[in-house]
Amino acid sequence: MPSRTVSDHDLLDRLGTLFRSAGFDGASLADIAAATGLQKSSLYHRFPGGKQQMAAEVASAVGEQFASGILAPLASDRPVAERVELVARRLREFYDGGARSCVLDMLSIGDPGVSASEALAAAAAGWTAAFAAVAREAGADARTATARAQDAIASVEGALVLARVTGDRRPFTRAIDRLPSVLLGDH
Amino acid sequence: MPSRTVSDHDLLDRLGTLFRSAGFDGASLADIAAATGLQKSSLYHRFPGGKQQMAAEVASAVGEQFASGILAPLASDRPVAERVELVARRLREFYDGGARSCVLDMLSIGDPGVSASEALAAAAAGWTAAFAAVAREAGADARTATARAQDAIASVEGALVLARVTGDRRPFTRAIDRLPSVLLGDH
DNA sequence: GTCTATACGACGATAGAC
DNA sequence: GTCTATCGTCGTATAGAC
């Protein structure tokens, strides 16, 4: 195993941060080289498929990290309300209170390739499934649970768009605060 | 007044359609020339400020058309519920049932320039004010009305992101269907 | 595995004829 | 007002040395 100056994990992490702030089209290979500390040719050694492969692997990695680092508590044995509260806190942190855009948004614009698009769709599906599972626990049928999950995710995604356009992060804060009532149907 | 092969209105309309589907970075001048039927140099005659000016004027035009063509009924003398229903129908049409992305999202990524960013923020503010006005009519105080307006807009914007990523337009349909209850507080 | 150097097409933008 | 032709730069991607 020859030594790598940047670990795969760190590499994907820095790529993800860049893609999330600049978008797929907005992140040039020069930007990527600067952000990762690797030269363009080294990047092609790690990602023979070029920028599209970078986007695809970032989408997969973010999806997995999101599932294991943020959504995982939803499957614990704590009380439902408590689990949702914990996820809300982690989401607030992940999006830095609404200051960071979502990779689902930023990587779905432009031409990131089929693999990246599929990975984004898979990440969205995983998020939806995790949210729907707690909605089912709260008594919702499968159809309603999925709807509540999607609506909760949409409220977060939309608030992030609004924050980027207006600079107002309060809609994001409210979307996070509303998570328990939206998912658990607690009107 | 020398004749123009494409009217200002049509020009901005075609530019808007392109920016909405490709984003600011994704719409190259070659794409723009193809979409408008004008050569690049002709475009610079109409928009001396280049692509950034095109984005700024599109953002302004869409904001005005949105206000006059979609939100205007909110200020009529019909019953509140009826006005909101009408706006819901027009929003559904404007976004083609969730198939089209929002210019607020697509033009706020990349470097569209200060003028475009300000025009986008103004458009978002106008949308918010129009929605908040009907919430106030329904009895909400100013603070609550603005929150309801922002939350309603966020649910639409987020549903459009979700539709682009997953292909599922049902969240958009539900966001539109929920407009009356979200704005008027009809739980 | 990473580097320097380079290919070459596409990019935004401009010059000048008509 | 629109066109053809072109500028210089930056884009993605590659070749080959170390």
Side-chain angles (χ1 to χ4, degrees):
Chain A
M1 240 8 139
S3 66
R4 295 185 157 176
T5 59
V6 182
S7 71
D8 283 348
H9 179 273
D10 283 1
L11 189 49
L12 286 176
D13 198 56
R14 294 173 195 181
L15 276 172
T17 301
L18 178 60
F19 278 135
R20 259 175 88 175
S21 71
F24 181 76
D25 288 329
S28 72
L29 283 178
D31 295 332
I32 295 171
T36 59
L38 288 179
Q39 295 301 323
K40 288 185 268 184
S41 48
S42 301
L43 289 165
Y44 276 89
H45 181 78
R46 307 281 278 265
F47 304 97
K51 207 170 118 173
Q52 289 195 338
Q53 186 184 348
M54 299 181 208
E57 293 200 20
V58 163
S60 292
V62 170
E64 287 169 18
Q65 287 165 18
F66 198 86
S68 66
I70 293 179
L71 303 174
L74 289 179
S76 79
D77 56 357
R78 310 288 303 173
V80 179
E82 194 176 311
R83 282 178 268 157
V84 174
E85 273 301 327
L86 177 53
V87 168
R89 276 200 297 277
R90 295 197 180 175
L91 281 172
R92 205 189 305 270
E93 192 180 353
F94 184 75
Y95 291 109
D96 194 14
R100 297 185 198 167
S101 295
C102 182
V103 72
L104 291 180
D105 187 12
M106 305 299 283
L107 279 187
S108 62
I109 294 172
D111 185 23
V114 180
S115 296
S117 298
E118 288 175 348
L120 289 179
W127 191 355
T128 304
F131 271 15
V134 299
R136 290 225 59 179
E137 276 191 72
D141 60 76
R143 195 182 177 82
T144 305
T146 297
R148 284 189 194 166
Q150 290 175 325
D151 294 345
I153 295 170
S155 71
V156 172
E157 294 289 332
L160 292 173
V161 172
L162 226 42
R164 192 172 61 232
V165 172
T166 68
D168 189 350
R169 301 179 190 176
R170 288 172 302 180
F172 174 79
T173 298
R174 287 196 303 271
I176 295 295
D177 290 342
R178 265 199 321 268
L179 266 188
S181 71
V182 172
L183 289 181
L184 307 177
D186 179 28
H187 295 298
Chain B
M1 234 21 129
S3 66
R4 294 186 157 174
T5 58
V6 182
S7 71
D8 283 348
H9 180 272
D10 283 1
L11 189 49
L12 287 176
D13 198 58
R14 293 173 196 181
L15 276 172
T17 301
L18 178 60
F19 277 134
R20 258 175 91 176
S21 71
F24 181 76
D25 289 329
S28 71
L29 283 179
D31 294 333
I32 295 172
T36 59
L38 288 178
Q39 295 301 322
K40 287 187 272 185
S41 48
S42 300
L43 288 165
Y44 275 88
H45 181 79
R46 307 281 278 265
F47 304 97
K51 206 170 119 173
Q52 289 194 339
Q53 186 184 350
M54 298 180 207
E57 294 201 20
V58 163
S60 292
V62 171
E64 287 169 19
Q65 287 166 17
F66 198 85
S68 66
I70 294 178
L71 302 174
L74 289 179
S76 80
D77 56 357
R78 310 289 303 173
V80 179
E82 193 176 312
R83 284 178 266 156
V84 175
E85 272 301 326
L86 177 54
V87 168
R89 277 200 296 277
R90 294 196 180 176
L91 282 172
R92 206 190 303 271
E93 191 181 354
F94 184 76
Y95 292 110
D96 195 12
R100 295 185 198 167
S101 294
C102 182
V103 72
L104 292 179
D105 186 12
M106 304 302 281
L107 278 187
S108 62
I109 294 173
D111 185 22
V114 180
S115 296
S117 297
E118 288 175 349
L120 289 179
W127 191 356
T128 305
F131 270 15
V134 298
R136 290 224 60 177
E137 277 191 70
D141 60 78
R143 196 184 178 79
T144 305
T146 298
R148 283 188 195 166
Q150 290 175 325
D151 295 345
I153 295 170
S155 71
V156 171
E157 294 288 332
L160 292 174
V161 173
L162 226 41
R164 192 173 60 232
V165 171
T166 67
D168 189 350
R169 301 179 191 176
R170 287 171 303 180
F172 174 80
T173 297
R174 287 195 302 271
I176 296 295
D177 290 342
R178 266 199 319 269
L179 266 187
S181 69
V182 172
L183 289 181
L184 307 178
D186 178 28
H187 296 298

